[in-house]
Amino acid sequence: MNRIDTLERELLDGIAAAADEPSLEAARVAALGKKGVIPELMKGLGAMTPEERKQQGPLLNSLKDRVTDAIAARREALKEQALEARLATETVDVTLPVRPEARGTIHPVRHVYDEVIQIFGDLGFAVAEGPHIEDDFYNFTALNIPPEHPARQEHDTFYLREKPDGTRKVLRTHTSPVQIRTMLAQEPPIRIIAPGRTFRSDSDQTHTPMFHQIEGLVIDETTHLGHLKWVLEEFCKAFFEVDKVKMRFRASHFPFTEPSMEVDIGYRREGGQIRIGEGDSWLEILGSGMVHPNVLIASGVDPARYQGFAFGMGLDRIAMLKYGIPDLRAFFEADLRWLRHYGFSALDLPTLAGGLS
Ligand code: PHE
């Protein structure tokens, strides 16, 4: 065995023996670093005769390549090993009981979200979703709100930057665009709810720039206003967990429904608290009506054959009423004291059989 072979054995053994990143790095410096054995040998080439150099040069170069490759391979292997070790120590046993010191809570909005899904699920509704960043078409035009329609102003819309083709995306101002997306994607009969975030440039005690709505849509051949009223009454009784709720149906106007009505819930304020179902104060919780034929047409549904109703309800509003929370803005301030007071245990999943709240 010549000198280079012996050296290669030594270097490769050293690399293979490196048990961690620092010792591998030390092996690399010793072999290939400025003062490493291989560069030192290469310096010696200059003093050789051309014949010797012709023979030694390629040998040294290929040695250098093999050592470099061996180091890279070892580095990969060490990384793998480290990851394996980390995964092994970081496993979580999900069957362990909750730690008593874990004090996180479920936000009232999330809890109400789950309650609402339970109730409508029981009534035969499926859950649909749509994007927060929405096309103007779905948020407005298809909902019978053409460009220049005054209703666009009422929505305090957040617009995204204009694109080269002149179109602008919007943060959806309501969950109603999910009506359009659903009707375009599936044939009637349709029975869905679409809970989610909505955005309007508005802020006071009962408005925040981001808030939650739940859309409802039923499309069938014989669905009428009486069904709408029944569904809303059933929902309110189940949600507020009472036999009777004070509800007020008011004639109203939305471009996407005809006729339209808004629904208020009766309540009373008592020392900063809210009492539901008593008193003479009203809080508007939803808008609703029979889906406008233009909306059906824009969504590819034949208005001569199908009709139906839609509603859009403020989730945060009904959470305020049910859980006596006086100021909507506090919902989104992430104040730990507030969250501990109004939050729910992570283990209290609302179910109709086990109780909602
Ligand atoms: N999208 C309306 C709003 O945000 C509510 C609504 C939905 C009204 C569906 C009628 C039908 O105010």
Side-chain angles (χ1 to χ4, degrees), residues 155 173-176 179 200 213 215-216 254 256-257 260-261 286-289 310-313:
H155 276 226
T173 56
H174 49 183
T175 41
S176 300
Q179 287 186 35
R200 290 185 203 177
Q213 281 191 343
E215 195 77 9
F254 298 100
F256 33 94
T257 45
S260 306
M261 53 191 196
L286 66 91
S288 64
F311 58 86
M313 184 159 51

Side-chain angles (χ1 to χ4, degrees), residues 86-341:
R86 220 177 108 194
L87 289 177
T89 57
E90 286 183 1
T91 53
V92 174
D93 182 352
V94 292
T95 64
L96 286 174
V98 172
R99 298 206 313 271
E101 69 274 21
R103 298 187 60 196
T105 58
I106 301 294
H107 193 284
V109 170
R110 179 70 235 181
H111 188 81
V112 165
Y113 210 101
D114 291 336
E115 290 185 45
V116 169
I117 290 175
Q118 282 291 321
I119 297 169
F120 280 106
D122 190 52
L123 291 173
F125 285 72
V127 175
E129 286 184 320
H132 295 157
I133 299 175
E134 190 52 284
D135 288 347
D136 185 280
F137 173 78
Y138 296 105
N139 197 79
F140 293 122
T141 311
L143 286 162
N144 201 28
I145 315 179
E148 314 311 327
H149 193 288
R152 290 199 174 207
Q153 262 105 64
E154 286 158 31
H155 276 226
D156 303 306
T157 311
F158 288 114
Y159 287 95
L160 275 75
R161 202 179 306 133
E162 204 173 284
K163 289 195 285 192
D165 66 2
T167 61
R168 298 189 285 183
K169 293 240 183 204
V170 301
L171 293 187
R172 67 177 181 191
T173 56
H174 49 183
T175 41
S176 300
V178 185
Q179 287 186 35
I180 310 295
R181 289 180 174 277
T182 306
M183 285 189 277
L184 285 172
Q186 67 192 67
E187 296 285 316
I190 291 172
R191 210 185 291 151
I192 57 114
I193 53 165
R197 294 183 172 201
T198 47
F199 308 84
R200 290 185 203 177
S201 179
D202 198 356
S203 183
D204 62 32
Q205 200 174 9
T206 49
H207 297 89
T208 49
M210 188 283 296
F211 57 106
H212 299 81
Q213 281 191 343
I214 171 167
E215 195 77 9
L217 176 71
V218 174
I219 301 287
D220 211 330
E221 294 189 8
T222 55
T223 303
H224 57 67
L225 202 67
H227 296 137
L228 166 60
K229 201 168 168 235
W230 182 84
V231 164
L232 293 176
E233 279 169 357
E234 284 305 301
F235 168 76
C236 285
K237 283 192 281 183
F239 178 75
F240 292 111
E241 299 174 68
V242 289
D243 296 328
K244 266 182 81 123
V245 201
K246 254 176 103 174
M247 295 176 82
R248 184 165 81 177
F249 293 82
R250 269 183 298 112
S252 180
H253 176 264
F254 298 100
F256 33 94
T257 45
E258 181 57 40
S260 306
M261 53 191 196
E262 284 177 305
V263 178
D264 305 330
I265 295 282
Y267 75 100
R268 182 157 61 95
R269 265 181 203 279
E270 199 181 77
Q273 289 281 310
I274 289 177
R275 298 242 174 273
I276 176 78
E278 343 170 348
D280 302 316
S281 302
W282 298 96
L283 187 71
E284 182 196 320
I285 60 159
L286 66 91
S288 64
M290 298 303 291
V291 178
H292 195 291
N294 287 351
V295 176
L296 296 175
I297 293 168
S299 311
V301 173
D302 177 8
R305 176 159 178 210
Y306 294 109
Q307 57 184 24
F309 65 78
F311 58 86
M313 184 159 51
L315 266 183
D316 320 276
R317 297 283 186 88
I318 62 172
M320 286 173 78
L321 282 174
K322 180 163 181 178
Y323 294 109
I325 306 171
D327 192 329
L328 180 59
R329 287 165 298 195
F331 273 68
F332 309 117
E333 281 171 355
D335 180 332
L336 271 183
R337 293 162 303 178
W338 187 93
L339 288 168
R340 280 186 189 130
H341 183 75

